[in-house]
């Protein structure tokens, strides 16, 4: 329990919550001391509104983002106050303002959070409308709050500049360990492999997001500040983690077949499973040491585990009098080679966190052209204009939230509700682009509001000391912002407790205000649910074809780069690494989209079996590509045959055809299978030809050629089957789509 509390307190979410709590509480306490509570409270609001845009990034982007947000929240408040007295101006300006603020989501994550901050400012503008010079005074105080929060955030940054990267790295190592642990679970005889694989897919989505966050910060810091020792260490760790995950995805085993083969010798699989678990445990311990800021000491001798498995293979051959070229022994050797590579990468990662290594020597050019791995941040007007159509999910979301806020405002004006702005605030906080996320947040918000209200009223009925209540309110605020990103239900509960307790201090006799607030929350949440279902809904099946096409295209580009390296025998190029990175990202995006689809109503889960099959096929193709790519990087290979290139061209053609089908269902294939069948037959005969030459080459060379022939041929045949299945499933998906129209 104590270790969990320590982990929570040292975490990023708690650190962020502490920043906004300090930035909000300090001005209130300071100005209350001088009997100017309202000034302090307004500055605190400015800090609140700026806080959401404080996302992890390099220093320059952090400062620019916070400054822009500070001015936007003050400007939005000023515009609302200026236009409010004139209805003929106010409503057109309000509609335009909400729509434009919502549309800046097209510019990415930072713009999304700036948009959220601006909408928060807009909703709270109705809580305290001003006139005359008071408008400028109030907007100025909001700006001061935003600037004060910026200063607090920068102080936290300079005190612990690497805090976020360390925690993200620790989390990435922990999730990678969890992924490897699931791979170990697959070796259980009666394991639920389908459920385990599903968990692995979910972990891949999480790891993709983490990789992108870490990649941006590390590479941008390196570009802006140079290659410091600390940054090199983080970069080395990150590269190793990406390679560990790639290797794990690239190497798959037929567990059923292996269990059948080794039923008479279970020690082989048991020894390997222990080795697999040791890989995961080593990473988990490293993650914990980083979180606790403790020196890392490995508790698992991975080299010894490898030796144990090697001895098991030797014992197997001796006990069962099996030849080294038998299928069973080749299977065990493949498992051993995978484990050796993982041990090598994990030891490299471990050494990066010890004091006796020069991380600069370990990089050895692996960070060449690494700045190309992040997207440059710029915000062209053309992107905004291109999204002004119903084909854009952001455009539909912007229309939806604009209409919903207007409805909420009108309902608040027509019905006898005292806190109109709270309805708008609830809509802003809950409504997201996707139905599933909005639906989930709606129920969590209502639950948190009701539970928080009950707890807070209970506290107010027992405690009457304003200092004690204020202290509890500050604690509730800190916990609310800490839990909000990871557990919205708990976060909403604590924030409701904070709001009710503050009202208990400011207006102890006005219980009706709190009751109306709960009612307003329910009204706002209900409007969100209805709007997301009926107003230009962004059902996931509408955008899934685009995700499928991007995934297929990324796999195609990855295969092209693999083919270039295999044919030319060149070193791994930046283009290859970029194609590999993009393939992993696009498959992750496709899986995330499919997961969102599962959160939507059953009636909107169109063509679910075909979509799921395409997700699995593209993921399997990525695994096969990564397997081939990893092999040719780590082994000296023979000259690429004509058969190899014919089969690769056929796979590329299949993927091109599948992409064309998604945009034009009437497309027809341009390639014939006649030569392909001939080349596949030729590939399948390579192994038998090599067997006839066993006496012409030495044993070691024979083993190497057999391994290359087996892996390359199997992967090419597998890729061909996968690409043909992708075409067939895409044809079925698009034919059903045509029929539904």
């Amino acid at each position: 329990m104590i270790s969990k509390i320590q982990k929570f307190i040292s975490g990023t979410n708690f650190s962020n919550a502490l920043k906004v709590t300090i930035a909000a509480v300090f001005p209130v306490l300071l100005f209350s001391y001088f009997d100017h509570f309202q000034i302090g409270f307004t500055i605190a609001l400015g800090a609140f509104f700026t806080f959401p845009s404080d996302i992890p990034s390099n220093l320059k982007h952090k400062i620019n983002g916070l400054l822009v947000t500070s001015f936007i929240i003050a400007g939005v408040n000023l515009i609302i106050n200026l236009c409010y007295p004139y209805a003929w101006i106010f409503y057109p300006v309000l509609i335009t303002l909400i729509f434009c603020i919502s549309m800046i989501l097209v510019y990415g994550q930072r713009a999304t959070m700036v948009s959220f901050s601006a909408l928060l400012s807009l909703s709270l503008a109705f809580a305290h409308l001003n006139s005359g010079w008071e408008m400028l005074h109030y907007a100025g105080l909001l700006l001061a709050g935003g600037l004060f929060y910026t200063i607090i955030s920068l102080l936290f940054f300079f005190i612990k500049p690497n805090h976020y990267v360390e925690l993200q790295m620790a989390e990435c190592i922990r999730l990678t360990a969890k992924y490897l642990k699931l791979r170990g679970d697959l070796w259980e005889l009666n394991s639920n492999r389908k459920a385990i694989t599903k968990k692995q897919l979910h972990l891949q989505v999480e790891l993709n997001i983490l990789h992108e966050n870490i990649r941006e910060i590390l590479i941008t810091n390196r570009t802006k500040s140079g290659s410091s020792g600390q940054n090199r260490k983080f970069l080395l760790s990150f590269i190793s983690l990406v390679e560990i995950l790639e290797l794990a995805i690239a190497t798959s085993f037929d567990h059923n077949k292996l269990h059948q083969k080794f039923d008479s010798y279970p020690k082989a699989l048991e020894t390997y499973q222990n080795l697999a678990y040791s890989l995961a445990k080593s990473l988990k311990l490293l993650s914990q040491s980083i979180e606790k800021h403790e020196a890392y000491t490995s508790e698992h001798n991975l080299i010894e585990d490898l030796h144990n498995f090697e001895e098991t293979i030797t014992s197997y051959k001796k006990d069962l009098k099996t030849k080294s070229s038998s299928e069973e022994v080749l299977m065990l050797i493949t498992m051993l080679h995978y484990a050796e590579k993982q041990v090598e990468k994990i030891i490299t990662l471990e050494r990066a966190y010890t004091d006796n290594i020069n991380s600069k020597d370990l990089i050895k050019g692996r960070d060449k052209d690494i700045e190309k791995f992040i997207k440059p941040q710029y915000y062209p007007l053309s992107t905004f204009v291109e999204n002004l159509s119903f084909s854009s999910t952001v455009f539909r979301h912007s229309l939806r939230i604009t209409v919903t806020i207007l409805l909420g405002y009108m309902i608040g004006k027509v019905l006898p509700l005292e806190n109109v702005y709270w309805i708008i605030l609830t809509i802003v906080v809950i409504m997201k682009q996707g139905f599933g996320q909005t639906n989930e947040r709606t129920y969590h918000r209502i639950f948190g509001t009701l539970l928080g209200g009950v707890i807070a009223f209970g506290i107010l009925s027992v405690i009457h000391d304003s200092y004690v209540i204020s202290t509890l309110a500050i604690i509730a605020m800190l916990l609310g912002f800490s839990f909000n990103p990871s557990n919205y239900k708990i976060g909403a509960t604590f924030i409701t407790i904070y709001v009710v307790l503050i009202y208990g201090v400011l207006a102890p006799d006005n219980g009706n205000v709190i009751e109306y607030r709960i009612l307003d929350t329910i009204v706002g949440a209900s409007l969100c649910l209805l709007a997301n279902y009926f107003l230009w809904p962004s059902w996931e099946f509408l955008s899934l074809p685009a995700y499928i096409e991007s995934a297929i295209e990324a796999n195609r580009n990855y295969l092209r780069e693999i083919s270039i390296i295999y044919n030319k025998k060149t070193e791994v190029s930046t283009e290859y690494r970029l194609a590999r990175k993009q393939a992993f990202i696009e498959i992750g995006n496709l899986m995330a989209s499919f997961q969102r689809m599962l959160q939507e109503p059953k009636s909107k889960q169109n063509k679910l079996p075909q979509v799921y099959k395409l997700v699995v096929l593209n993921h399997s193709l990525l695994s096969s590509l990564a397997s081939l790519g990893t092999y040719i990087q780590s082994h000296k290979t023979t000259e690429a045959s004509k058969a190899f290139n014919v089969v690769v061209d056929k796979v590329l053609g299949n993927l091109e055809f599948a992409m064309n089908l998604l945009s034009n269902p009437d497309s027809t294939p341009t390639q014939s299978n006649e030569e392909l069948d001939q080349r596949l037959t030729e590939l399948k005969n390579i192994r038998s030809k090599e067997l006839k030459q066993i006496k012409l080459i030495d044993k070691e060379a024979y083993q190497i050629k057999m391994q290359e022939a087996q892996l390359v041929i199997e992967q090419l045949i597998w890729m061909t089957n996968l690409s043909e299945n992708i075409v067939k499933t895409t044809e079925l998906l698009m034919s059903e789509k045509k029929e539904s129209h």
Side-chain angles (χ1 to χ4, degrees):
M1 177 61 75
I2 294 175
S3 62
K4 286 184 178 180
I5 294 173
Q6 288 176 338
K7 182 180 178 181
F8 175 74
I9 291 175
S10 64
T12 307
N13 291 338
F14 185 84
S15 176
N16 291 337
L18 190 59
K19 284 190 286 188
V20 70
T21 302
I22 292 171
V25 170
F26 181 78
V28 170
L29 294 178
L30 178 66
F31 284 95
S32 294
Y33 180 79
F34 295 105
D35 293 327
H36 292 294
F37 169 81
Q38 196 59 48
I39 292 176
F41 187 73
T42 307
I43 293 173
L45 284 178
F48 273 132
F49 297 154
T50 307
F51 161 67
S53 65
D54 188 13
I55 63 174
S57 62
N58 65 79
L59 184 59
K60 181 182 176 182
H61 290 160
K62 176 188 278 287
I63 294 172
N64 289 343
L66 291 174
L67 289 177
V68 167
T69 306
S70 300
F71 281 97
I72 285 177
I73 61 173
V76 166
N77 182 275
L78 186 60
I79 291 170
I80 293 295
N81 279 273
L82 281 170
C83 299
Y84 186 77
Y86 314 102
W88 59 279
I89 296 178
F90 171 70
Y91 285 103
V93 169
L94 179 64
I95 292 169
T96 305
L97 200 58
I98 297 170
F99 179 78
C100 290
I101 290 172
S102 302
M103 276 296 295
I104 65 174
L105 268 66
V106 297
Y107 293 114
Q109 185 187 10
R110 184 178 299 281
T112 298
M113 301 318 295
V114 172
S115 170
F116 180 64
S117 293
L119 288 174
L120 285 179
S121 178
L122 183 145
S123 60
L124 266 295
F126 294 102
H128 195 84
L129 293 162
N130 299 288
S131 59
W133 287 107
E134 277 296 313
M135 291 186 293
L136 283 173
H137 181 248
Y138 194 87
L141 291 176
L142 288 178
L143 176 61
L147 297 177
F148 182 60
Y149 176 82
T150 302
I151 293 170
I152 296 295
S153 182
L154 292 177
L155 284 174
F156 270 71
F157 180 85
F158 286 117
I159 291 170
K160 285 188 175 182
N162 296 314
H163 182 62
Y164 175 78
V165 181
E166 285 178 348
L167 291 175
Q168 289 290 90
M169 198 68 73
E171 179 68 4
C172 189
I173 295 171
R174 186 186 71 81
L175 290 181
T176 306
K178 192 174 179 182
Y179 189 91
L180 295 185
K181 166 68 167 57
L182 288 171
R183 281 180 64 90
D185 292 341
L186 286 168
W187 290 99
E188 290 292 334
L189 182 58
N190 297 314
S191 61
N192 186 344
R193 296 197 180 101
K194 188 175 181 181
I196 293 171
T197 304
K198 189 175 180 181
K199 289 178 183 177
Q200 286 181 312
L201 293 177
H202 284 205
L203 272 177
Q204 277 181 246
V205 174
E206 289 185 64
L207 282 165
N208 271 350
I209 296 169
L210 268 176
H211 286 172
E212 280 299 285
N213 290 344
I214 297 171
R215 185 180 284 114
E216 182 191 351
I217 294 173
L218 289 183
I219 296 175
T220 309
N221 284 349
R222 180 183 180 279
T223 305
K224 300 291 183 184
S225 310
S227 184
S228 67
Q230 184 79 339
N231 196 252
R232 281 198 303 272
K233 182 181 82 171
F234 286 138
L235 198 55
L236 169 66
S237 304
F238 174 66
I239 291 171
S240 298
L241 285 167
V242 171
E243 290 175 345
I244 288 169
L245 181 65
E246 180 195 17
L247 185 56
I249 292 172
T251 313
S252 57
F253 302 106
D254 188 337
H255 296 87
N256 289 325
K257 186 177 181 180
L258 282 162
H259 277 292
Q260 290 170 7
K261 293 281 186 183
F262 296 100
D263 272 348
S264 59
Y265 204 84
K267 182 185 175 184
L269 301 188
E270 288 172 7
T271 308
Y272 180 80
Q273 186 181 39
N274 290 335
L275 172 56
Y277 281 145
S278 292
L279 297 174
K281 287 174 185 174
S282 296
L283 289 180
K284 186 178 180 182
L285 286 171
L286 178 58
S287 170
Q288 291 172 347
S289 71
I290 296 171
E291 287 176 344
K292 296 176 181 177
H293 300 283
E294 297 175 351
Y296 173 70
T297 305
S298 178
E299 295 183 10
H300 299 278
N301 191 332
L302 298 177
I303 301 298
E304 186 178 324
D305 289 336
L306 278 176
H307 288 324
N308 290 339
F309 188 53
E310 281 182 297
E311 289 173 4
T312 302
I313 297 174
T314 305
S315 300
Y316 175 80
K317 290 191 288 185
K318 182 180 177 182
D319 295 346
L320 276 72
K321 297 186 173 96
T322 308
K323 294 181 180 180
S324 297
S325 59
S326 71
E327 186 180 7
E328 289 83 359
V329 174
L330 285 174
M331 283 179 171
L332 292 176
I333 290 173
T334 300
M335 292 158 62
L336 176 63
H337 286 172
Y338 162 74
E340 285 173 340
K341 292 172 193 170
Q342 286 292 38
V343 168
E344 178 188 342
K345 295 181 188 305
I346 289 173
I347 288 175
T348 301
L349 181 61
E350 289 177 334
R351 292 171 69 196
Y353 285 92
T354 57
D355 298 328
N356 61 345
I357 192 69
N358 186 344
S359 57
K360 189 174 183 179
D361 295 334
L362 281 172
I363 295 283
K364 292 181 181 177
R366 291 158 81 191
D367 58 346
K368 182 184 177 183
D369 295 330
I370 202 163
E371 62 275 359
K372 293 181 181 179
F373 283 76
I374 60 170
K375 295 178 181 178
Q377 291 197 350
Y378 63 100
Y379 308 100
L381 182 62
S382 58
T383 303
F384 188 96
V385 175
E386 286 168 5
N387 279 271
L388 293 176
S389 69
F390 278 94
S391 61
S392 167
T393 56
V394 175
F395 178 79
R396 294 202 300 273
H397 169 72
S398 301
L399 283 179
R400 190 185 315 121
I401 198 168
T402 302
V403 172
T404 309
I405 288 175
L406 283 174
L407 284 173
Y409 180 77
M410 292 175 182
I411 288 171
K413 285 290 186 181
V414 172
L415 298 180
L417 300 175
E418 294 187 5
N419 303 312
V420 177
Y421 70 90
W422 198 260
I423 298 176
I424 301 173
L425 181 64
T426 301
I427 294 168
V428 169
V429 170
I430 289 177
M431 185 168 279
K432 302 296 175 186
Q433 286 189 61
F435 176 87
Q437 193 178 9
T438 299
N439 192 40
E440 184 180 50
R441 286 175 74 89
T442 298
Y443 289 118
H444 287 176
R445 176 80 178 184
I446 293 173
F447 175 87
T449 300
L450 295 175
L451 179 60
V454 170
I455 294 172
F457 279 123
I459 292 171
L460 290 174
S461 65
V462 175
I463 301 172
H464 304 288
D465 188 300
S466 60
Y467 291 104
V468 176
I469 294 172
S470 299
T471 303
L472 291 174
I474 293 171
I475 294 171
M477 177 173 65
L478 180 60
L479 292 174
F481 282 111
S482 297
F483 281 107
N484 217 43
S486 59
N487 193 320
Y488 187 69
K489 187 188 294 183
I490 296 176
T493 301
F494 278 113
I495 288 174
T496 301
I497 292 172
Y498 157 71
V499 170
V500 174
L501 292 182
I502 285 295
Y503 265 93
V505 174
L506 300 179
D509 300 323
N510 197 356
N512 288 337
V513 172
I514 300 167
E515 292 171 10
Y516 274 118
R517 178 147 298 186
I518 294 173
L519 179 61
D520 292 335
T521 297
I522 295 172
V523 171
S526 302
L527 283 173
C528 286
L529 275 178
L530 294 170
N532 249 45
Y533 198 93
F534 294 107
L535 298 180
W536 310 287
S538 299
W539 303 120
E540 204 62 37
F541 75 85
L542 296 171
S543 53
L544 260 167
Y547 285 111
I548 294 170
E549 184 174 355
S550 296
I552 295 173
E553 182 181 15
N555 275 333
R556 180 204 63 184
N557 295 340
Y558 188 16
L559 177 57
R560 277 180 179 168
E561 294 300 325
I562 290 171
S563 179
I564 290 170
I565 292 176
Y566 193 73
N567 275 276
K568 296 183 178 179
K569 310 301 177 189
T570 56
E571 290 186 2
V572 174
S573 63
T574 301
E575 288 72 21
Y576 171 89
R577 289 154 63 204
L578 284 168
R580 179 184 62 187
K581 170 210 162 192
Q582 198 60 33
F584 276 81
I585 288 173
E586 294 300 344
I587 298 300
N589 290 341
L590 176 58
M591 290 189 291
S593 177
F594 178 73
Q595 288 171 14
R596 291 194 296 271
M597 187 179 186
L598 293 177
Q599 295 178 319
E600 296 178 347
K602 296 288 184 183
S603 60
K604 302 302 177 183
Q605 294 178 5
N606 289 17
K607 308 168 193 67
L608 190 65
Q610 289 77 26
V611 171
Y612 177 69
K613 189 172 182 181
L614 281 169
V615 171
V616 173
L617 286 170
N618 276 284
H619 181 265
S620 299
L621 181 58
L622 174 62
S623 178
S624 179
L625 292 170
S627 181
L628 185 58
T630 302
Y631 182 83
I632 63 176
Q633 286 179 64
S634 55
H635 294 79
K636 186 177 180 180
T637 55
T638 57
E639 186 179 349
S641 63
K642 183 181 178 182
F644 172 88
N645 289 315
V646 168
V647 176
V648 168
D649 287 342
K650 178 58 182 177
V651 174
L652 290 171
N654 284 339
L655 298 180
E656 287 276 4
F657 179 47
M659 290 166 57
N660 291 336
L661 280 171
L662 288 164
S663 54
N664 180 16
D666 297 321
S667 299
T668 54
T670 56
Q671 289 183 313
S672 168
N673 285 334
E674 186 177 339
E675 187 180 8
L676 174 70
D677 294 336
Q678 179 187 339
R679 297 304 176 182
L680 282 175
T681 302
E682 183 180 326
L683 283 171
K684 289 174 184 177
N685 291 332
I686 287 178
R687 250 177 289 176
S688 60
K689 290 178 183 177
E690 293 291 347
L691 284 171
K692 293 175 183 177
Q693 298 172 3
I694 189 168
K695 294 180 181 178
L696 303 178
I697 55 178
D698 63 79
K699 186 177 179 181
E700 185 179 352
Y702 172 73
Q703 190 93 5
I704 292 170
K705 286 178 73 68
M706 279 299 297
Q707 189 180 13
E708 179 184 352
Q710 182 181 21
L711 187 138
V712 173
I713 293 166
E714 284 183 356
Q715 293 304 330
L716 286 174
I717 294 170
W718 180 229
M719 279 190 270
T720 304
N721 292 333
L722 287 171
S723 65
E724 288 178 347
N725 279 325
I726 286 173
V727 169
K728 290 175 185 175
T729 310
T730 305
E731 284 177 327
L732 184 59
L733 179 74
M734 300 312 292
S735 65
E736 290 189 6
K737 187 175 181 181
K738 284 171 68 178
E739 289 172 10
S740 64
H741 288 300

